[in-house]
Amino acid sequence: MSRPIAVLGAGAFVPGFEGLEGWAAARPDAEFENPQAALVPARQRRRASLLSKAFAEAYAGALETSQLEPSEVASVFGSALGEAATMIGLLDQMWSETAILSPMKFATSVHNAASGMISIATENRGFTTSLGADFDTPAMALMEGIGIVFAEDRPVIVCCGDESPPDQLVPDGEGWSMLAAAIALAPIDQAPSGAPRVADLAVETATIKGFGADGKLGRNPNIGLLDLVTALAQKRDGILALDRGAGRGFTIRIESENP
Amino acid sequence: MKRNGAVTPYPISGYALCNSIGMNRHEVREALHAGHAGLGPSPIELPFETVVGAVTGKLPDLPAELGPWTTRTTRIARLLLDELGPELERLREAWRPERIAVLLGTSTAGADVTEMAYRQFLSTGSLPEDYDLFKQHTYGAVLHVTRELIGAKGPAWVISTACTSSAKPLASAQRLLDADLIDAAIVGGIDTLCSMTLRGFKSLDALAVEPSRPFAADRKGLNIGEGGAFLLVEREAEPVAMLEGVGESSDAYHISAPHPEGLGARLSMGRALAQAGCSSDSIDHVNAHGTGTKLNDVSEAAAIESLLGREVPVVSTKSYTGHMLGAAGGTEAAFSVMAIAEGFVPASLRAEPLDEKISVRIATQRIDGDFKRVLSNSFAFGGNNVSVIVGAPR
């Protein structure tokens, strides 16, 4: 992919920061430890998983900054593990003596739970999808989004996230902390002049590094998308890695300023 | 190339199948032609009665270097790739590895492995020594094995949108080809039986105790099946059939129940027709989502009737294989290719007496003939809908 694409907006949920702006400014705020998910009606929100709420928070940020029409915009959701915490809850029920599963938990254990919830909340009858590719999830979700922009000539919101993996299933020291990030992409001719751009999603050598997310947050499979929206918020240019060494090495070029 | 107009049709140059009615294309064709279902007792111990579509044939082992990635899912992937051997050899000669994509779908991935590993964890406090979340459970596992076995280095992802998971990769491939980001793709998907899925559908009161009866008046729910299907989609190749259009939509209605009037279903079918650039009367056959649940069959039939009329023959092949969930859409797209390539529409089994609320033509007997264009529906939790149109080679 060599043609550039315009960036219309972005959002993020990082525990302890107020949205992307708070995160990119390195301004912690304990009030924002949990996702509010105001995009979603209260009744749905009560049933939503932590991951789905984090998705809703990041997605709302991208919607607000891009001014895209919520009921029309296409969406791509990416997650390496998806609703793994819900799955563990179901397995606990399944292997207990009663062995009865909660139908509501089962229905929301699917990987596309957030995608479905947000399409209902925004009354969007258009395209939405949900995918995963382990530590290449951000790169592949962007590739699916870029396919929509190029082939269908319309905007898309790409939203990636994972909550902490179940402690029971990963060795000590290999877990990560939760994040979700979202970016709104559009054809160049549908964006305001001067809008930042991305191009060249490929396996290249990175020239700029991700921002301030070492340790557990940096191990999140979706750190690459958070790095991308952070670099855009900080107006940094260059070739950015979409994983931090655990994926196939996809990178993307950022052009923050376009006179 | 734009959504509002017809898109470029791409050749489907090969396909492979594995499910409860056959371990390869030929066996599946024979079972569909003869009207033989593959539904029987569950190999998984359950605290209730149901029947399932289990794959009972021998699955191949993975090569030694891929041993740690061994699961039922990856072994089915190898079986499918083995069947596509000659087609894949030609495909690899035609296109650079960086331009070959692997775009799969699953709803279960390695959940069957994890649920047993977790059971051990609960009883002993530790996971099995050979359990590895990223080599056995996650989507990356089947992607890694498939890419390694065929030498593909292009985009690779797994779509997981419940029961539309393996139909949506056909749309992804079409877009990536249109956008000139790839030249070829392996698409489709795999799901395997697991206890959590069976118990989950039981909790929703959606499982039938006996072989399912899609569209029948006294249908009592679905059967879960397993298996997979891979299809090859290329920029240029000798086609078995053409990928003409894929329509996608959301119900925006309910997380686990279909829209009662089939609004999302109608939208996805309409978008597929628009992409294919064809009229509704040019569809010769519909491979329905047809789960056998009360809600789905009525709303889907209403959507088909409103868009395609009452005469087009409609079949639920889930009456043979059970509902293969994440593998259903890819499998039924492959069945649609088979209807064109082999010249028959299989009978929709156990559909009589038909539900009086269903006015479309359910094909209760096999129809032999020349089928030029077939539409396959898949609908899923989250209100996610996909309709795929395949056509005869031009």
Side-chain angles (χ1 to χ4, degrees):
Chain A
M1 169 245 176
S2 56
R3 283 181 287 162
I5 284 181
V7 178
L8 298 183
F13 173 75
V14 181
F17 293 87
E18 185 181 4
L20 176 58
E21 200 180 320
W23 165 253
R27 196 174 54 232
D29 187 335
E31 263 194 49
F32 297 93
E33 202 57 45
N34 295 305
Q36 303 303 306
L39 179 71
V40 180
R43 188 169 168 218
Q44 274 180 273
R45 196 161 60 228
R46 278 196 298 276
R47 296 174 174 178
S49 68
L50 191 61
L51 177 63
S52 286
K53 286 190 260 194
F55 268 130
E57 195 82 3
Y59 189 86
L63 264 182
E64 186 182 342
T65 50
S66 67
Q67 296 291 300
L68 289 167
E69 172 53 46
S71 65
E72 289 179 7
V73 66
S75 57
V76 176
F77 291 85
S79 182
L81 291 182
E83 300 290 343
T86 307
M87 177 192 74
I88 289 294
L90 287 168
L91 291 179
D92 280 328
Q93 291 177 347
M94 189 169 94
W95 297 132
S96 69
E97 279 187 19
T98 55
I100 295 169
L101 299 193
S102 150
M104 193 273 287
K105 287 282 180 199
F106 178 67
T108 55
S109 70
V110 291
H111 199 72
N112 61 318
S115 146
M117 179 187 78
I118 289 171
S119 72
I120 294 167
T122 56
E123 299 180 355
N124 188 323
R125 295 198 168 88
F127 170 88
T128 185
T129 196
S130 184
L131 59 82
D134 287 10
F135 291 89
D136 292 310
T137 298
M140 296 300 100
L142 283 166
M143 185 74 83
E144 174 80 301
I146 287 164
I148 289 163
V149 173
F150 282 166
E152 300 180 0
D153 200 27
R154 61 181 178 136
V156 63
I157 292 179
V158 176
C159 188
C160 293
D162 266 289
E163 61 180 300
S164 303
D167 290 340
Q168 304 93 326
L169 298 184
V170 292
D172 287 344
E174 291 184 18
W176 56 76
S177 51
M178 179 169 66
L179 69 82
I183 188 168
L185 305 171
I188 294 289
D189 61 4
Q190 294 176 29
S193 62
R197 296 174 180 182
V198 291
D200 297 337
L201 176 54
V203 177
E204 296 284 350
T205 303
T207 60
I208 56 173
K209 286 188 170 182
F211 164 76
D214 297 324
K216 287 187 82 174
L217 193 64
R219 287 200 296 271
N220 190 298
N222 302 288
I223 186 64
L225 193 63
L226 181 63
D227 283 342
L228 174 57
V229 296
T230 308
L232 285 160
Q234 296 173 336
K235 299 192 186 309
R236 292 190 294 146
D237 285 356
I239 298 172
L240 177 81
L242 290 169
D243 69 79
R244 291 200 179 177
R248 293 166 65 194
F250 283 94
T251 57
I252 197 161
R253 185 159 51 84
I254 303 170
E255 302 167 359
S256 291
E257 305 281 358
N258 288 289
Chain B
M1 306 244 299
K2 305 293 186 285
R3 173 153 294 261
N4 293 333
V7 299
T8 308
Y10 292 105
I12 295 170
S13 55
Y15 64 105
L17 288 155
C18 163
N19 51 53
S20 67
I21 58 171
M23 298 296 283
N24 54 49
R25 224 166 28 223
H26 174 72
E27 288 180 9
V28 169
R29 187 258 181 216
E30 293 303 298
L32 289 174
H33 196 263
H36 290 160
L39 302 169
S42 170
I44 296 174
E45 194 179 325
L46 296 165
F48 52 83
E49 298 232 340
T50 188
V51 297
V52 300
V55 170
T56 52
K58 181 172 166 43
L59 296 172
D61 293 326
L62 299 184
E65 66 274 18
L66 293 173
W69 282 267
T70 297
T71 62
R72 194 164 175 77
T73 300
T74 54
R75 292 174 74 194
I76 290 174
R78 178 166 188 190
L79 181 82
L80 296 169
L81 294 172
D82 285 351
E83 184 173 17
L84 287 168
E87 291 97 330
L88 281 169
E89 198 171 318
R90 182 199 47 73
L91 182 145
R92 278 193 295 264
E93 284 174 11
W95 312 112
R96 288 191 293 120
E98 294 77 11
R99 300 277 293 179
I100 301 172
V102 175
L103 308 171
L104 304 180
T106 183
S107 71
T108 53
D112 55 337
V113 181
T114 293
E115 66 186 21
M116 297 315 294
Y118 192 69
R119 186 178 200 179
Q120 178 175 317
F121 176 85
L122 288 176
S123 61
T124 67
S126 60
L127 295 164
E129 274 190 20
D130 59 354
Y131 178 78
D132 185 317
L133 180 72
F134 283 99
K135 290 191 174 76
Q136 294 166 333
H137 177 90
T138 64
Y139 304 125
V142 69
L143 291 174
H144 177 76
V145 167
T146 305
R147 288 175 52 242
E148 288 295 312
L149 287 174
I150 65 169
K153 295 182 178 172
W157 64 72
V158 164
I159 290 176
S160 191
T161 50
C163 307
T164 54
S165 300
S166 57
K168 287 174 84 74
L170 288 152
S172 301
Q174 192 182 43
R175 283 190 291 268
L176 295 184
L177 285 161
D178 273 354
D180 196 24
L181 296 169
I182 61 167
D183 291 318
I186 294 176
V187 300
I190 300 167
D191 249 33
T192 55
L193 290 173
C194 59
S195 193
M196 189 174 74
T197 312
L198 286 156
R199 293 172 195 235
F201 277 96
K202 175 70 176 174
S203 77
L204 292 169
D205 203 21
L207 279 191
V209 174
E210 295 176 338
S212 65
R213 305 184 58 195
F215 305 114
D218 58 350
R219 63 190 180 280
K220 293 191 169 64
L222 54 82
N223 308 134
I224 303 294
E226 67 172 352
F230 283 175
L231 302 95
L232 306 180
V233 184
E234 300 183 61
R235 186 171 301 286
E236 292 171 0
E238 185 69 33
V240 184
M242 302 298 289
L243 177 60
E244 295 193 338
V246 188
E248 296 168 271
S249 75
S250 305
D251 281 357
Y253 172 71
H254 190 275
I255 199 74
S256 59
H259 190 281
E261 284 96 45
L263 176 62
R266 189 184 153 93
L267 284 172
S268 68
M269 286 190 282
R271 288 169 185 164
L273 287 169
Q275 277 208 353
C278 64
S279 60
S280 56
D281 61 3
S282 71
I283 299 295
D284 295 327
H285 159 50
V286 175
N287 186 307
H289 186 54
T291 57
T293 59
K294 290 281 182 198
L295 289 177
N296 173 85
D297 293 3
V298 169
S299 64
E300 181 178 14
I304 292 170
E305 183 184 354
S306 69
L307 199 66
L308 306 179
R310 293 184 170 186
E311 296 308 312
V312 60
V314 176
V315 167
S316 170
T317 45
K318 290 183 176 72
S319 61
Y320 295 75
T321 61
H323 189 346
M324 295 166 67
L325 303 176
T331 296
E332 290 158 18
F335 287 170
S336 302
V337 171
M338 186 177 272
I340 290 168
E342 302 287 338
F344 75 94
V345 169
S348 207
L349 302 178
R350 302 178 296 278
E352 292 178 310
L354 289 165
D355 186 335
E356 288 179 357
K357 293 195 284 295
I358 290 172
S359 305
V360 294
R361 177 186 169 198
I362 305 300
T364 55
Q365 300 293 321
R366 190 185 74 228
I367 304 171
D368 297 321
D370 188 16
F371 299 94
K372 298 286 189 200
R373 189 168 278 135
V374 179
L375 183 148
S376 174
N377 279 335
S378 298
F379 311 133
F381 280 2
N384 199 287
N385 311 298
V386 184
S387 300
V388 177
I389 295 179
V390 294
R394 299 172 180 185

